[in-house]
Amino acid sequence: MDNQGACATRAFSCSGAKVLHSILILGGTTEARQIAGRLAALHRFRLELSLAGRTKTPVEQPVPVRTGGFGGADGLAHYLAHQRIDLMIDATHPYAAQISANAATAARMADIPLVALRRPGWDRVPGDRWQEVESVEQAVANLGDAPRLVFLALGRQELLPFEAAPRHHYLVRSVDPVEPPLALADVRYITARGPFALDEEVALLRDNGIEVIVSKNSGGTASYGKIAAARALGLDVIMIRRPALPDVCSFQTVEALVDHVAQAFPADQLRGE
């Protein structure tokens, strides 16, 4: 359910020369690209999409892109003020807790509105064999002592803790190559970008003899195939729970968020200089 309790809209001055309202989108997700495209199609915003730069080969974006960090909440607040940003949109990954926290703090410091896209997580359904854990380190511990064939469906930044469990046999899938490779005796790598179809995921898991999957509860459809495949094959899934995120004005769908922004910044109300 959308959290619209904190979504009060500020009145904007319309006096003087009229210029486009400026929106900064914190991205890195499919939804961020979709939001940028839909807002660009309205032709009444100056848009910039910010990427952390962790992916070496990001997909093409429909608006100008800024790559790299801001220097924490203070740096982001300074950027918002210096660039005269009217609205910030947090469309980062559900596990980018630090970025979301910085965004909430910076928006308060800069005194601008913040809205967030909060993609719903996956729900356990009959047939799922989930072990829910709080962290990657706990996921490593839950693999147990006996050697297992493990499919790691995590970002490159979360892989290092698995070096503490070298007895297992790992298959790692990531968007970019894992560099440097993990210090493990038996690890294989697949470089691929979703979405991944169910039949492809079933074949991948079966052909590689996978016994357990370690995954984040990312939500959405692009990477759900492996979860459905695990259910079909009766495999265990060690599911890392989502972190707590700031309580800000948020929406579960791209459509709802874009509609809110369009209503908050109507076509006949450009920003006055």
Side-chain angles (χ1 to χ4, degrees), residues 107-237:
R108 289 193 299 269
M109 294 172 65
D111 192 26
I112 69 162
L114 169 68
V115 296
L117 193 286
R118 298 282 191 250
R119 179 197 305 168
W122 300 317
D123 293 322
R124 186 198 302 258
V125 301
D128 283 332
R129 298 173 54 178
W130 291 8
Q131 303 172 46
E132 294 189 90
V133 299
E134 301 297 333
S135 66
V136 175
E137 289 75 16
Q138 190 177 346
V140 174
N142 277 34
L143 288 175
D145 296 327
R148 306 174 79 180
L149 288 160
V150 185
F151 178 43
L152 299 182
L154 302 171
R156 292 178 301 152
Q157 294 77 25
E158 289 87 22
L159 296 174
L160 194 59
F162 291 91
E163 290 185 348
R167 58 194 171 278
H168 303 295
H169 313 280
Y170 296 98
L171 178 65
V172 177
R173 182 169 66 195
S174 59
V175 174
D176 294 315
V178 178
E179 298 174 351
L182 297 173
L184 291 166
D186 187 0
V187 57
R188 291 172 293 142
Y189 301 97
I190 299 173
T191 303
R193 188 193 302 271
F196 303 103
L198 173 59
D199 57 346
E200 296 173 337
E201 297 292 70
V202 168
L204 174 71
L205 299 175
R206 184 181 54 221
D207 294 349
N208 287 278
I210 297 301
E211 299 172 284
V212 57
I213 297 172
V214 180
S215 174
K216 293 178 176 179
N217 192 337
S218 298
T221 59
S223 59
Y224 185 69
K226 62 180 178 291
I227 306 302
R231 184 189 313 126
L233 296 172
L235 303 182
D236 292 332
V237 175

